[in-house]
Amino acid sequence: MDLSFTPDQEALRDAVLRLYGKQSDGERVRDLEPEGFDPALWAAVVDMGLPAMALPETARGAGASLTDLAAAVEVHGAHCGLVPLVETAVVARLLAALGDAAAPLLSQIVEGSAATLRLASGPGPAAFAGIAEVVTARDGDRVVVVDGPLAPTPRTLAGLAIATADLTGGRTLAEGAAAIAIFDRAVDEWRALTAVAQAGLARASLELGVQYARDRHQFGVPIATFQTLQHRFADLHERVDGSRLLAYEAIWALDEGEPTAPALAAQASWYCGDVADEAAGFSLHVHGGYGFMLEYDVQLHVRRAKATRLLLGDPRRELDVIADRRWGAAAPDPALVAAARTARPTRPGMDFRFDAETEAFRSEVRAFIGEHLTDEIVARALTTGTMHDWGFHKALCDRGYLASGWPREFGGLGRDAVDQTLLLQELYASGAPIDGLNIASMVGATLLVCGTDRQKAEILPRILAGEVMCCLGYSEPDAGSDVAAVTTRAVRDGDDWVINGQKMFTTMAHEAHYVFLLCRTDLDAPKHKGLTMFLVPMDSPGVEINAVATMGGERTNITFYRDVRTPDSCRVGEVDAGWSVLHAALVYERSSANWGEPDALVETMATWALQPADDGVRPFDDPIVRAALARWSTELEAGRLLLFRAAWLSAQGGMPQVEGSMAKLHITEAFVQASSELVDLLGTAGLAPGHVEHAFRHAVVTTIYGGSSEVQREIIAGRGLGLPRSR
Ligand SMILES: Cc1cc2nc3c(=O)[nH]c(=O)nc-3n(C[C@H](O)[C@H](O)[C@H](O)COP(=O)(O)OP(=O)(O)OC[C@H]3O[C@@H](n4cnc5c(N)ncnc54)[C@H](O)[C@@H]3O)c2cc1C
């Protein structure tokens, strides 16, 4: 896996940035928008060789990849470039693929002519057909070309030199299934490259909004301090990043000839358009009345984002294309998809596959799950609400999975964050009850960093062996998101501490041998500085556990501590250093949002949809069902990319806290909405207990524990976007 540009791609992006920064600023685009074309910029873009760069060298191109080209297109999108860069590059590749019959036209383009393509079959509008000399289209089973430029349509939504292509006089370039397949591939390249441009536009729109919010004062403060605005910005920050990752994944898949490339191109096209629409729309809203004024750039972004989407027709129709390509008649052979996973990159730079060792690890984990996780274990966990099974837990520990990311010298497997994340997702997707694994792993990792020699010698090996379980005693009735507000008191008494207080939601307390207990030890210190962490045996006199039932079926507990006497040897870390102990585990533990479960939900629903119902009709043939499946599979693909981006950054030695928050926010919010919409599809059948009904009851808690969505938005807005403290 590699999500970075090559040095050459970076250099190209920087060069294009300099060009567009000089020649395509907002004022110039606004001035030229009515004509829909910037001849000076086009001359400069041709001079740089951009439209022909992704042609093979045999066709007088630079032999560059689509990913190389995308590095330029992203900048082009961010600047609302008024030139047919994407269209010409795509048509050039189309003509090169069509062979000799198209060679003269291709030469014309290599010499600097602009070209475009009509995306839908038959006559109709095409972007830049009002200035392009070569207008290509599909007409039935023929690929045709019309000489341009055509008469432009005046005053369209966002310039772009739109003109209607009348194909009656069109010359046939090629015909038959092979020619149409080449044309369809060109449309997919347009989809993916335009998705990159839309991701660039979305980022630029968001930056406009954020900057305006910093500068604009109301009620005596910058409007950027308002939490309502910050949280929408935080949502957009992660959505824009997710859209960019998805766009590049689609581009990479086309470059590599991945069997999933057509589906990814449609997903990227729909998603990036949607996000660009949303980012530009919200940024305009943040500008208040000024956003409507033509002298502001943001209104241009709103029109451009929407107009670009409309070129493909009603954007919702893309959802139907996605469904067809993911599960319908156009879906790839699963065997080919599986085989492509182990293919190796053909060029340096971005690679969205896992490396061979990680793929082998995934196979090992799947085999382990197949061997050890039974339907009875899953059913028992769902019935009892205890998301832990001692037998399965022991097997996980024996295999070293509790400490997959720890260094080998401490009993771990020494695997990187990508492998750790993959392990967890495979377990989540399988429905394995792993609350115990997650908690024990977290406490173990903290002991590794902050524990005493005795704790490391006596407790850690037993945690690693799967013999000892822990629970987390952080939350209290009046300390939830603000966990530093805990009031459970620990008072020194000789060699002991005496603990009194109450903890809420102590999950696994009824199975645990120890509670990792955050206590207040100094009432006078600032609230983050008067805390100390203890590892208190659950069989200590004075510990009481009361069960709490939840909507999602998970059992949690309220725990009470009444004059619990604990030796000082149970303290973890220094006195009053509990806050840093709470965060220490991050060295070996990276938060891994539960993506596997919502993904499994979408796949379950797809399987249901493909089976004929009692009336013999497949739910999949209902456009509402197809749209829902397409939408949530796409949202979750963006979530998967955000999640593995954070893991990949970790594996590179980074501490991607903001990126981890983005992934958690995206995935858990998508889980809530997906489970609600997918259970709706079942109608009355959704009332009966089952996978989907359970997912609906369970999903919401994922947006609360592990830091609620609002807490994640605070992190993203503050640390990610650098916005001031909110009010
Ligand atoms: C099933 C389950 C299991 C759990 N397991 C454990 C466990 O094992 N150990 C443990 O210690 N805890 C556990 N928790 C507790 C969990 O961590 C807390 O529920 C969580 O931190 C939120 O705290 P709270 O419930 O008190 O909500 P509050 O913090 O009171 O939040 C209420 C609402 O206010 C919002 N809010 C809070 N702060 C802000 C802010 N700054 N800006 C905007 N909005 C804000 C929240 O997002 C939320 O929507 C569990 C909870 C559940 C439901």
Side-chain angles (χ1 to χ4, degrees):
M1 177 168 231
D2 187 348
L3 302 179
S4 56
F5 277 158
T6 61
D8 284 352
Q9 288 164 350
E10 275 175 18
L12 174 67
R13 182 200 49 202
D14 293 347
V16 177
L17 203 51
R18 281 193 296 278
L19 170 68
Y20 275 67
K22 238 188 280 159
Q23 296 207 18
S24 185
D25 65 6
E27 196 180 340
R28 183 165 172 82
V29 178
R30 291 198 311 274
D31 285 350
L32 287 173
E33 208 205 4
E35 283 96 77
F37 180 58
D38 182 342
L41 181 65
W42 180 245
V45 160
V46 169
D47 199 42
M48 271 184 96
L50 299 181
M53 67 180 274
L55 282 173
E57 283 166 19
T58 49
R60 291 165 62 200
S65 65
L66 287 172
T67 312
D68 297 331
L69 175 61
V73 166
E74 189 177 353
V75 178
H76 164 80
H79 285 79
C80 296
L82 275 173
V83 290
L85 171 59
V86 170
E87 290 73 13
T88 306
V90 164
V91 171
R93 286 167 58 86
L94 163 71
L95 297 175
L98 287 177
D100 292 347
L105 286 170
L106 183 55
S107 298
Q108 213 181 314
I109 291 175
V110 173
E111 301 298 333
S113 289
T116 190
L117 73 170
R118 161 129 176 92
L119 300 164
S121 185
F128 296 105
I131 58 96
E133 286 152 62
V134 178
V135 180
T136 55
R138 176 186 166 179
D139 193 15
D141 71 345
R142 296 183 308 138
V143 176
V144 298
V145 64
V146 178
D147 292 331
L150 307 171
T153 313
R155 299 206 318 272
T156 58
L157 178 60
L160 295 178
I162 306 273
T164 294
D166 171 4
L167 306 182
T168 39
R171 300 191 305 283
T172 302
L173 278 178
E175 57 191 320
I180 293 308
I182 291 173
F183 192 85
D184 288 348
R185 153 110 192 173
V187 174
D188 279 346
E189 290 187 358
W190 182 89
R191 278 187 166 101
L193 286 167
T194 300
V196 172
Q198 291 277 48
L201 179 63
R203 175 55 61 196
S205 301
L206 178 59
E207 283 170 3
L208 276 182
V210 167
Q211 191 54 50
Y212 187 85
R214 282 183 207 283
D215 296 340
R216 176 74 176 166
H217 283 63
Q218 287 297 303
F219 303 99
V221 292
I223 60 171
T225 56
F226 301 144
Q227 195 184 58
T228 43
L229 298 189
Q230 289 203 356
H231 283 195
R232 286 291 305 277
F233 280 138
D235 285 337
L236 283 170
H237 193 29
E238 60 88 350
R239 285 176 72 71
V240 172
D241 267 13
S243 75
R244 180 178 186 273
L245 286 163
L246 186 54
Y248 275 101
E249 187 186 28
I251 290 282
W252 162 84
L254 284 164
D255 266 339
E256 291 293 311
E258 288 278 306
T260 51
L264 284 168
Q267 288 184 304
S269 154
W270 175 74
Y271 192 69
C272 296
D274 202 48
V275 172
D277 233 3
E278 190 186 343
F282 181 64
S283 283
L284 186 145
H285 185 75
V286 167
H287 280 70
Y290 299 91
F292 286 90
M293 292 169 61
L294 288 183
E295 67 195 70
Y296 279 75
D297 287 346
V298 70
Q299 51 80 28
L300 180 73
H301 287 210
V302 170
R303 291 182 292 113
R304 178 62 64 85
K306 180 60 93 184
T308 305
R309 297 191 86 187
L310 289 176
L311 291 168
L312 267 176
D314 182 340
R316 281 166 297 199
R317 293 199 193 286
E318 279 295 82
L319 291 173
D320 205 55
V321 176
I322 295 168
D324 200 41
R325 293 176 175 192
R326 285 282 274 107
W327 300 283
D333 178 348
L336 289 180
V337 176
R341 277 208 194 122
T342 49
R344 288 304 109 210
T346 54
R347 47 175 72 82
M350 286 194 186
D351 185 6
F352 285 78
R353 276 177 295 244
F354 296 122
D355 62 27
E357 214 188 303
T358 301
E359 275 300 340
F361 183 55
R362 189 213 304 254
S363 305
E364 179 199 307
V365 171
R366 285 192 175 170
F368 170 89
I369 291 170
E371 189 185 341
H372 294 278
L373 184 68
T374 61
D375 291 346
E376 290 73 41
I377 293 175
V378 177
R380 191 162 54 238
L382 290 174
T383 313
T384 61
T386 299
M387 297 299 149
H388 171 71
D389 179 277
W390 276 108
F392 185 65
H393 182 70
K394 184 87 179 77
L396 285 164
C397 292
D398 287 349
R399 192 58 75 91
Y401 290 164
L402 184 139
S404 63
W406 303 8
R408 286 183 182 277
E409 63 265 35
F410 299 122
L413 295 182
R415 294 207 163 261
D416 71 11
V418 173
D419 288 7
Q420 290 174 64
T421 304
L422 194 62
L423 166 67
L424 274 185
Q425 300 318 316
E426 291 293 331
L427 288 166
Y428 284 135
S430 70
I434 55 165
D435 277 1
L437 180 86
N438 281 333
I439 295 172
S441 164
M442 208 180 300
V443 173
T446 311
L447 289 184
L448 207 58
V449 182
C450 306
T452 62
D453 289 346
R454 209 185 117 242
Q455 289 162 348
K456 285 184 197 163
E458 288 179 9
I459 303 174
L460 200 52
R462 297 181 62 212
I463 291 178
L464 274 176
E467 294 163 10
V468 155
M469 183 46 62
C470 304
C471 58
L472 303 176
Y474 303 157
S475 305
E476 295 184 1
D478 293 319
S481 301
D482 184 14
V483 70
V486 296
T487 57
T488 292
R489 205 57 186 104
V491 177
R492 190 82 193 232
D493 183 17
D495 280 345
D496 291 343
W497 293 84
V498 179
I499 299 176
N500 280 284
Q502 177 189 345
K503 293 287 176 182
M504 288 300 299
F505 306 114
T506 326
T507 306
M508 296 293 299
H510 57 294
E511 297 285 342
H513 302 85
Y514 293 94
V515 55
F516 205 51
L517 200 64
L518 188 64
C519 298
R520 184 152 303 281
T521 38
D522 186 344
L523 291 176
D524 300 324
K527 72 177 177 183
H528 293 83
K529 297 207 168 138
L531 302 168
T532 303
M533 192 72 85
F534 296 89
L535 195 59
V536 178
M538 288 301 284
D539 58 3
S540 306
V543 176
E544 185 187 320
I545 303 168
N546 286 0
V548 173
T550 66
M551 176 173 101
E554 299 101 319
R555 176 189 164 154
T556 183
N557 305 284
I558 302 177
T559 49
F560 297 92
Y561 307 85
R562 296 192 183 92
D563 291 330
V564 176
R565 188 162 279 278
T566 306
D568 189 49
S569 59
C570 289
R571 175 165 50 82
V572 180
E574 298 301 318
V575 175
D576 295 336
W579 191 247
S580 53
V581 174
L582 191 73
H583 292 284
L586 288 176
V587 178
Y588 295 124
E589 298 295 330
R590 279 95 186 180
S591 69
S592 252
N594 177 349
W595 172 84
E597 212 175 336
D599 183 61
L601 173 70
V602 172
E603 290 304 329
T604 299
M605 285 301 289
T607 306
W608 161 81
L610 290 166
Q611 298 302 317
D614 292 345
D615 58 5
V617 178
R618 297 183 315 168
F620 188 72
D621 297 323
D622 176 348
I624 292 178
V625 173
R626 288 160 71 93
L629 289 173
R631 172 162 186 217
W632 293 112
S633 75
T634 304
E635 288 280 356
L636 286 170
E637 181 57 14
R640 189 185 75 85
L641 293 168
L642 288 169
L643 181 66
F644 280 98
R645 190 243 327 234
W648 175 75
L649 287 170
S650 251
Q652 309 296 301
M655 285 291 270
Q657 195 198 5
V658 172
E659 290 81 358
S661 290
M662 287 177 163
K664 184 188 189 250
L665 176 63
H666 184 98
I667 291 168
T668 58
E669 289 290 325
F671 190 14
V672 172
Q673 291 175 50
S675 64
S676 175
E677 199 175 310
L678 295 177
V679 80
D680 285 353
L681 296 181
L682 295 176
T684 49
L687 298 168
H691 185 169
V692 190
E693 177 268 350
H694 173 258
F696 170 70
R697 283 185 288 114
H698 166 65
V700 71
V701 78
T702 65
T703 64
I704 294 171
Y705 55 35
S708 72
S709 293
E710 284 68 31
V711 170
Q712 308 302 335
R713 290 183 177 111
E714 290 288 293
I715 293 169
I716 297 166
R719 295 186 203 173
L721 289 169
L723 292 173
R725 239 186 141 62
S726 67
R727 39 177 265 164

